[in-house]
């Protein structure tokens, strides 16, 4: 059975790339989905989607907050 | 890795390149790119070239050929805007109302009529502006008149702009050419009755901008919500299509700007170009709208006009992601200022709605602030009275202090490209806006010089009886309250970019504190005819006061080394009587 949060993490992670504000939710959703999948003894699937969502969320957060940090430092 | 997985990974990487990761990396590259060699050369004609100075550690500022801080004061006439006109609201696409041919304005002025929002712009208007001490003018144009048919640019309209620039040059007035738009276009249509619930019939009187062929509404109804002309499905859709370069309309816009810029490439009376007035995000949201669509669009225009190559080469006439630059359109204009309007939503928040990522290595950039505290800000939308409003939390200074930081992050100077409001709020709104402009040492363009039936202009309107189609004067009297506030004593040029000054419009008193080194170019202070107090100088300065034929005075202070100050004593103001 597929963990529904894995798909949610993927969508949120991709949306976080243009809308950085969603990045923390993507990271949280992706991480908790991966945790559930790992502890389910292969009953739950969706590891790839959850991982991509998590990675995209981390990347979105990093680049968005790097941009915000630039604003604070350069202004 | 399987093929579908590889394709998915590549797709995600591509998505990353098109969004913040790509935008950040290109901005970083822009920040590290040395600016192109910008040679202003010797002053040509009566007005020296302006540029943006970038002092070590300090905020960039607009400067003249001697490196002096230049403060631009001016107003915004609407006579070249393609506004809707008429007495029958169901007629949605009337032809342009005032003549476009410059011959119609040679030594005369076409009749004004109350069936359009603003009067025609004539030579007398510029003389009136100069008499108030304005040394600049923001001149709004309409894309619909510049490129009425796709690919056909109007030489007549550009000649008309050139005529106004000629008038301005003769009076020592700089012109900021503004590609104006409000609610995208007057061709968005008007659905009667409004098909969507809770919508109102669109009033097109103040919609302007894109030509009909570039107004792609995809059949969405044109009706307004919350009483805001921009909150209109047709306007939202048309804007979105522009930002996503549907059918190459953004490319056409850039081409029309290039056509315009070629004409004025060697004209120093044109201070620069305002690329897009009050950009509206359409269906997009901040900060992605500004960081991923608007400012990258600005970069592409700058690339096209100047020939600098920031951003990556990308195919054109199709959606161009934030990383894209733009081909050189063979204008090679490296001397004009480029004014970058913040997104329209910033006017509502008085707060940055984007990250302020560096947009271009071109050094002559100016962040164009539209300062409408208590006029368009959240408190106004919530129907709070300006005197009792509990937003913005930082008062009038919030917008300015943050804009100063935004400009610095963009490596741009700051200019108030628009401010104004109903004349009934002048004692609070205008007075405080002008105080902030002094505090932050920024110039202004006041919206609006004249209008026929509204309460926002510097002048009274004309008779606006519904259905009246008789000829009218170009305006009523100059509003005394606005003359008092806007015909100001101010330093026009100074070698000290950190000077401080204050003019009290209530008493006519003025004070200026400057630091100067011997041999620095002089600080020049303008005193309008209305101000009658005595001029005094103290400290390390040689002062020369000249009186102009109209009664205004020009104070030229050459520093001899050290601090000096200039004051004008309080005295009754001599405002123009209304007859």
């Amino acid at each position: 059975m597929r963990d529904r949060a894995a798909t949610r993490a993927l969508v949120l992670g991709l949306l976080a790339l243009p809308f950085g504000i969603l990045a923390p939710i993507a990271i949280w959703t992706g991480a908790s989905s991966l945790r559930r999948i790992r502890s389910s003894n292969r009953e739950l699937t969706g590891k790839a989607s959850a991982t991509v969502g998590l990675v995209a969320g981390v990347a979105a957060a990093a680049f968005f907050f790097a941009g915000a940090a630039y604003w604070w430092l350069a202004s | 890795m399987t093929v579908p997985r590889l394709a998915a990974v590549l797709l995600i990487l591509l998505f990353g390149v098109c969004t913040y990761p790509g935008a950040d990396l290109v901005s970083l590259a822009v920040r590290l790119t040395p600016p192109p060699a910008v040679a202003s050369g010797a002053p040509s004609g009566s007005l020296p070239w302006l540029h943006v100075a970038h002092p070590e550690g300090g905020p960039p500022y607009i400067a003249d050929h001697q490196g002096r801080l230049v403060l631009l004061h001016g107003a915004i006439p609407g006579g070249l805007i393609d506004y809707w006109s008429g007495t029958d609201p169901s007629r949605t696409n009337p032809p342009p109302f005032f003549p476009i041919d410059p011959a119609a304005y040679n030594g005369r002025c076409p009749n004004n009529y109350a069936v359009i929002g603003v009067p025609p712009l004539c030579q007398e208007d510029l003389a009136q502006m100069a008499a108030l001490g304005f040394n600049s003018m923001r001149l709004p144009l309409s894309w619909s008149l510049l490129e009425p048919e796709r690919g056909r640019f109007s030489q007549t309209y550009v000649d008309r702009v050139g005529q106004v620039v000629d008038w301005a040059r003769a009076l020592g007035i700089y012109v900021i050419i503004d590609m104006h738009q409000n609610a995208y276009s007057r061709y968005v249509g008007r659905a009667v009755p409004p098909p969507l619930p809770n919508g109102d019939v669109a009033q097109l009187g103040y919609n302007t901008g894109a030509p009909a062929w570039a107004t792609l509404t995809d059949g969405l109804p044109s009706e307004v919500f919350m009483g805001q002309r921009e909150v209109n499905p047709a306007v939202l859709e048309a804007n979105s299509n522009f930002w996503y370069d549907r059918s190459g309309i953004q490319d056409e816009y850039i081409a029309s700007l290039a056509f315009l810029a070629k004409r004025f490439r060697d004209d120093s009376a044109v201070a620069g170009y305002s690329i897009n007035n009050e950009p509206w995000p359409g269906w997009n949201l901040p900060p992605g709208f500004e960081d991923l669509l608007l400012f990258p669009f600005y970069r592409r225009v700058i690339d096209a006009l100047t020939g600098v190559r920031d951003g990556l080469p990308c195919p054109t006439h199709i959606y161009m992601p934030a990383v894209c630059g733009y081909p050189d359109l063979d204008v090679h204009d490296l001397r004009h200022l480029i004014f970058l309007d913040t997104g329209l939503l910033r006017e509502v928040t008085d707060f940055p709605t984007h990250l302020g990522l560096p947009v271009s290595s071109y050094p002559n950039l100016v962040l164009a602030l539209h300062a409408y505290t208590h006029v368009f800000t959240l408190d106004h939308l919530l129907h709070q009275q300006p005197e009792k409003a509990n937003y913005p939390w930082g008062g009038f200074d919030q917008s300015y202090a943050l804009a100063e930081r935004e400009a610095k992050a963009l490596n741009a100077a700051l200019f108030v490209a628009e401010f104004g409001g109903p004349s009934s709020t002048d004692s609070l709104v205008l007075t405080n806006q002008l105080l902030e402009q002094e505090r932050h040492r920024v110039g202004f363009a006041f919206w609006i010089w004249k209008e026929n039936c509204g309460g926002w202009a510097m002048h009274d309107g004309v008779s606006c009886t519904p259905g009246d189609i008789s000829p009218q004067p170009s305006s009523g009297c100059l509003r005394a309250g606005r003359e008092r506030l806007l015909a100001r004593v101010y330093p026009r040029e100074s070698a000290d970019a950190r000077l401080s000054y204050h003019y009290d419009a209530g008493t006519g008193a003025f004070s200026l504190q400057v630091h100067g080194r011997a041999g620095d170019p002089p600080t020049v202070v303008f005193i309008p005819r209305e101000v009658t107090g005595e001029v005094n100088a103290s400290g390390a300065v040689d002062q020369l006061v000249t009186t102009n034929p109209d009664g205004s005075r020009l104070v030229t202070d050459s520093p001899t080394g050290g601090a000096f100050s200039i004051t004008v004593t309080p005295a009754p103001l001599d405002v123009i009587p209304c007859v």
Side-chain angles (χ1 to χ4, degrees), chain B residues 103-274:
Chain B
Y105 301 84
N106 279 335
R108 57 205 162 116
C109 191
N111 281 333
N112 182 30
Y113 295 88
V115 298
I116 189 166
V118 295
L121 177 61
C122 296
Q123 192 163 10
E124 188 191 15
D125 289 297
L126 278 89
Q128 291 168 353
M129 290 180 194
L132 296 170
F134 291 167
N135 61 348
S136 66
M137 169 179 63
R138 185 170 181 246
L139 181 64
L141 312 184
S142 291
W143 182 21
S144 55
L145 295 181
L146 188 56
E147 193 181 1
E149 293 166 31
R150 186 169 186 143
R152 186 181 71 77
F153 304 109
S154 170
Q155 188 59 52
T156 310
Y157 189 52
V158 175
D159 289 344
R160 169 82 173 113
V161 178
Q163 177 185 51
V164 177
V165 172
D166 289 344
W167 294 339
R169 186 190 307 104
L171 293 164
I173 291 176
Y174 285 102
V175 179
I176 299 163
I177 293 179
D178 158 38
M179 286 292 278
H180 208 76
Q181 71 84 35
N182 287 121
Y184 194 73
S185 171
R186 71 178 174 94
Y187 298 103
V188 291
R190 185 168 177 272
V192 183
L196 300 177
N198 303 318
D200 296 316
V201 175
Q203 306 299 322
L204 300 175
Y206 280 92
N207 282 42
T208 185
W213 59 263
T215 305
L216 310 178
T217 60
D218 296 324
L220 268 66
S222 177
E223 60 179 280
V224 297
F225 292 85
M226 299 187 290
Q228 305 297 318
R229 66 187 169 200
E230 286 86 2
V231 188
N232 173 332
V235 170
L236 292 163
E237 184 71 5
N239 270 285
S240 299
N241 281 324
F242 178 81
W243 298 121
Y244 288 99
D245 199 15
R246 170 106 169 266
S247 303
I249 53 176
Q250 201 181 98
D251 298 271
E252 289 295 337
Y253 187 89
I254 297 173
S256 67
L257 254 169
F259 180 76
L260 191 67
K262 269 185 187 161
R263 164 67 179 262
F264 299 106
R265 198 186 77 144
D266 298 315
D267 196 334
S268 62
V270 172
Y273 304 95
S274 181

Side-chain angles (χ1 to χ4, degrees), chain A residues 14 17-19 48 52 63-64 66-68 70-72 74-75, chain B residues 12 15 19-21 24 31 287 292 352 355-356 358 405 408-409:
Chain A
L14 292 179
L17 288 168
F19 307 109
V52 170
F63 281 97
F64 187 80
Y70 168 81
W71 197 92
W72 283 104
S75 66
Chain B
I12 289 165
F15 196 55
T19 51
Y20 271 105
D24 278 17
R31 186 72 189 186
L292 305 178
L355 298 182
R405 298 186 65 176
K408 201 169 168 214

Side-chain angles (χ1 to χ4, degrees), chain B residues 12-36:
Chain B
I12 289 165
L13 277 176
L14 186 67
F15 196 55
V17 166
C18 294
T19 51
Y20 271 105
D24 278 17
L25 293 173
V26 167
S27 289
L28 181 65
V30 161
R31 186 72 189 186
L32 297 175
T33 303

Side-chain angles (χ1 to χ4, degrees), chain B residues 379-395:
Chain B
D379 53 296
H380 173 76
L381 295 178
L382 296 171
H383 306 294
Q384 294 185 349
Q385 293 301 313
E387 301 81 11
K388 296 174 185 169
N390 47 24
Y391 191 82
W393 301 308

